[in-house]
Amino acid sequence: MKIGIGCDHAGLELKNEIISLLGGLSIECIDYGTNSPESVDYPDFGEKVSEAVSSGGIDRGILICGTGIGMSIVANKFPRIRASLCNDLFTAKMSRLHNDANILALGGRIVGKSLAKEIVRTWVNTPFEGERHCIRLKKITQIEERLIRYESRKS
Ligand code: RB5
């Protein structure tokens, strides 16, 4: 599994912890920045990771900002992205089992390092349950495709 990771200044410390964790789990990890504590705009980094997942260049993404909210909003603008904001273990597990989430958003100012690492471990190791959830995900894809058609007809 190839995972892309990105953050803004509020997620930098946590991003570095998670990169070490993924290395220890022998998961290939691509760092999309930011890599300095200077204030940056989270959409710039959310876009890079979301684009890479959306186009199939990487399998999944992890995005970290102060709350995780901004990053999850950005990521869910992209086709084929199912980003989930998980600042607890239960939602991390359910986002994989039921939603087949392909991007995990985390709040660097919300969760402590230990909990965040446990969330990531759970998220990377939990499979999609399939079955009835496939029908629901297909409905999401249909909504997405309909909206893309609608927007392209307008222009
Ligand atoms: C940056 O101060 C903060 O707004 C950002 O990290 C994030 O929490 C946005 O959702």
Side-chain angles (χ1 to χ4, degrees):
M1 189 193 320
K2 207 190 268 188
I3 295 189
I5 188 161
C7 67
D8 70 358
H9 52 285
L12 180 59
E13 257 184 62
L14 191 51
K15 186 189 69 163
N16 291 333
E17 293 280 334
I18 292 172
I19 289 173
S20 305
L21 170 75
L22 293 175
L25 296 174
S26 301
I27 293 175
E28 189 181 349
C29 178
I30 302 169
D31 184 359
Y32 288 82
T34 186
N35 282 305
S36 112
E38 265 169 57
S39 180
V40 290
D41 299 328
Y42 61 82
D44 297 337
F45 298 90
E47 180 180 16
K48 289 178 200 209
V49 173
S50 304
E51 176 64 45
V53 178
S54 179
S55 66
I58 55 175
D59 303 302
R60 293 203 217 162
I62 297 176
L63 289 171
I64 312 154
C65 61
T67 57
I69 296 171
M71 286 297 201
S72 63
I73 292 173
V74 171
N76 279 311
K77 299 288 178 203
F78 284 77
R80 295 171 291 281
I81 294 300
R82 293 176 301 279
S84 56
L85 170 54
C86 303
N87 286 324
D88 66 87
L89 284 172
F90 183 68
T91 46
K93 188 171 175 191
M94 297 310 286
S95 79
R96 291 290 313 136
L97 285 175
H98 287 194
N99 311 108
D100 197 18
N102 50 11
I103 290 194
L104 167 68
L106 284 167
R109 291 175 178 157
I110 308 283
V111 283
K113 280 177 198 156
S114 304
L115 175 57
K117 287 201 256 184
E118 203 49 47
I119 289 171
V120 170
R121 242 181 250 120
T122 300
W123 191 76
V124 296
N125 287 324
T126 304
F128 177 46
E129 217 170 50
E131 297 173 11
R132 67 191 186 283
H133 304 294
C134 292
I135 300 162
R136 294 160 188 170
L137 294 194
K138 198 171 167 201
K139 289 189 177 190
I140 294 174
T141 304
Q142 285 166 349
I143 293 169
E144 187 176 284
E145 288 170 349
R146 181 165 51 77
L147 293 173
I148 289 170
R149 278 199 304 275
Y150 175 74
E151 287 298 322
S152 62
R153 246 185 274 127
K154 282 201 305 187
S155 56

